[in-house]
Amino acid sequence: MTGEQLLQAYYFLKLNRALEEQLLKFYMQNKVVGGLYRSLGQEAISVGTAMALEPQDWVAPLIRNVGAFLVRGYRPRDLFTQYMAKATSPTAGRDCNTHFGDIQRGVVAPISMLGAMIPVMVGVGWGSRLQGLDRVGLTYIGDGGTSTGDFHEGLNLASVWKAPMVLVAEHNQFAYSTPTSKQMAITDLVDRAKAYAIPAEIVDGNDLMAVYAATRRALEHARSGRGPYFLECKTMRMRGHAEHDDARYVPAELLEEWRAKDPIDRFSQRLLEEFGFSQEQLSEQDQRVAKLIEEDAEFAERSPYPEGSRSQAQEGVFAS
Amino acid sequence: MITMLEAIRQALRDELAGDDKVVLLGQDIGDFGGAFKVTQGLVEEFGEQRVADTPISESAMIGAAIGAAMVGLKPVVEMQFIDFLACGYNQLVNFAGKMRYRWGQGASLVVRGPCGAGVSGSAFHSQSPESTYLCVPGIKVVYPSTAEDAYGLLRSAIQDPDPVLFLEHKFLYRRIKGEVGHQPIPLGKAALRRRGEKLSVITYGASSHTAQEVAEQFGDQVEVIDLRCLQPLDEACLFESVKRTNKVLLYHEAQKTLGMGAELSARISEQLFEYLDGPVVRVAAPDSPVPFSPNLEKAWLPGAEQLAEACRRLLAY
Ligand SMILES: Cc1ncc(C[n+]2csc(CCOP(=O)(O)OP(=O)(O)O)c2C)c(N)n1
Ligand SMILES: [Mg+2]
């Protein structure tokens, strides 16, 4: 990564975290409609993978991939207004949280059904290649989501078709209350990919540079016509499934262990110690982040709710 | 008095205690007690073998329940949200639903879970899927609206020899309470919730409560019938009502097109044409996904005002 990219990565990591801290404030003030899902401790995965994409590549972020939206040019206000169900949100209040997208930005809006995005992104990659387009489709899956039929069908299809698709598995140890040990009889998700003859590697998901470098390798592989690639990012879900869940079932020592591996702390430290950045340079980015969050939080608060006429609730199902 | 959610838990507990063939399967239903806490405490009482956590594999969950049913168990499968049943559709519809007709072997199993809108759950946590499954021969569909019914009907569903889809409106879970008996309530019997002379509102699920509120505004004119079971359907009860009042309004939260109301409308027009003093009217949700933002969702839901207006017009017809 160039110096400029490193600084940019720092900015996005901090923006991702600050955005969620602001969302938490909104949540405590009862301004969030529905649940609040956090990516605390997993930010390096979304930011690192999305930064590795080329502009023509497409990404389908899931609920914990706020960072990928930011890298793709969405602003904090887009997530604030989505979570607050405002008329100014990207879906104009029709759908919630990260359920939005825009083909112009190469962002596919996810559905809740886990695994569903995998076959879809196989199709994005395959369909693009059929038309001579250089485009890789990248999406994410949780450890729990790897038990779905769509995960297995999608990977198998990607493999036999050699589709340019990259799947990033975020192994954050839990699927709601279910630890990986009760979800599957293997410890590493890469073993799933191996069954489909898909090259796979384990990555330290809390190391932004490692995530970025692995994603570059994965994309290069997919782009060169050799088929899909699978990354398993080891990480930890540092909050409950959503904020309403106190996650009592997570052993305190496990959280303690992973707190020491916080991806932002580690990255900042490397920037200062290994890459010669100054504290002022980082503080400058922090100020940019704070300013944008403040501005966008205000925008979201000021934004109206949809009026809510029946015709408004009804329209838009078909093109015409 | 206990909530509908507690009534469901009580039915599960009584069935687990009374019949060692009954087993529960679901995501996070053990120690965690389920996303809505319906199964809280049951794993402590009955153990991990009978209250089994599953991976996130709806198709495998339902397929395994069918197999277990064939060897004599009575599985109850929880969908974390009923919307996710779409991921297990094939097993339920093509295996479970068609097996008795094809080769005489039934599967005594229940698929249950929270459905319905009104809690800002957006498009994937709010759906009312009943007509999808009503279109498939071989699956019973039960949709209680009270704590008493939830208890009694769930017990019957679990003991039923055929596959039952048991729909629990999440808006009602903790909002309504009732005295719950100890007896199963047979499937296929509708309930007369309120007597009226001029118009029959036929409804079920959460809409049944709205209908009763609205009916009150009309004194003794509006009758409310709560279907409780959509399949098997208590045709006799609702036909008797329509023959008395001569006007009928079909009211539900699911979408209008090919919803339960469409089927009932067709049956009533076919069989009771000469009794009708007005058009068969439906009040139901529009044909769009459930929107997220509260105002939009409220506008989408066929609410009390819309029902009252439709009642007024039909009464005046
Ligand atoms: C097909 C399907 N079944 C059930 C659910 C309900 N659900 C939502 S998130 C979740 C746990 C997901 O765990 P994991 O895939 O590990 O992702 P994480 O939340 O850890 O990021 C479950 C069971 C769902 N969304 N989709
Ligand atoms: Mg997980």
Side-chain angles (χ1 to χ4, degrees), chain A residues 85-160:
Chain A
K86 295 290 180 104
T88 51
S89 76
T91 62
R94 280 184 185 160
D95 208 341
C96 56
N97 51 53
T98 63
H99 291 180
F100 63 100
D102 178 4
I103 296 295
Q104 299 309 319
R105 298 183 204 240
V107 176
V108 179
I111 65 170
S112 295
M113 287 65 188
L114 298 167
M117 305 316 295
I118 299 168
V120 172
M121 296 314 276
V122 172
V124 163
W126 172 73
S128 297
R129 193 186 56 200
L130 267 187
Q131 299 173 83
L133 301 169
D134 166 28
R135 177 184 293 131
V136 180
L138 180 144
T139 189
Y140 306 88
I141 191 74
D143 35 57
T146 69
S147 298
T148 60
D150 270 0
F151 171 90
H152 293 275
E153 294 184 19
L155 281 192
N156 185 58
L157 183 63
S159 182
V160 289

Side-chain angles (χ1 to χ4, degrees), chain A residues 213-253:
Chain A
T215 313
R216 292 298 294 181
R217 278 194 293 281
L219 289 165
E220 159 58 25
H221 176 93
R223 218 180 289 289
S224 70
R226 283 174 288 164
Y229 204 93
F230 185 96
L231 296 177
E232 174 181 1
C233 297
K234 301 275 194 196
T235 187
M236 177 69 200
R237 196 190 73 200
M238 299 302 290
R239 300 286 300 169
H241 176 59
E243 285 298 315
H244 68 261
D245 169 24
D246 63 13
R248 248 177 290 183
Y249 48 82
V250 175
E253 315 82 69

Side-chain angles (χ1 to χ4, degrees), chain A residues 155-204:
Chain A
L155 281 192
N156 185 58
L157 183 63
S159 182
V160 289
W161 279 0
K162 290 202 182 313
M165 197 271 299
V166 172
L167 184 57
V168 179
E170 298 195 57
H171 193 164
N172 67 1
Q173 328 271 347
F174 285 85
Y176 212 149
S177 75
T178 307
T180 310
S181 58
K182 287 184 88 175
Q183 185 75 234
M184 60 193 78
I186 52 175
T187 44
D188 297 320
L189 303 177
V190 286
D191 291 351
R192 299 240 205 255
K194 285 177 193 158
Y196 301 105
I198 294 175
E201 56 181 292
I202 293 176
V203 189
D204 177 349

Side-chain angles (χ1 to χ4, degrees), chain B residues 186-202:
Chain B
L187 304 187
K189 290 265 167 270
L192 177 65
R193 296 294 182 205
R194 186 187 172 89
R195 268 227 172 244
E197 277 154 26
K198 298 259 156 52
L199 161 63
S200 304
V201 173
I202 298 168

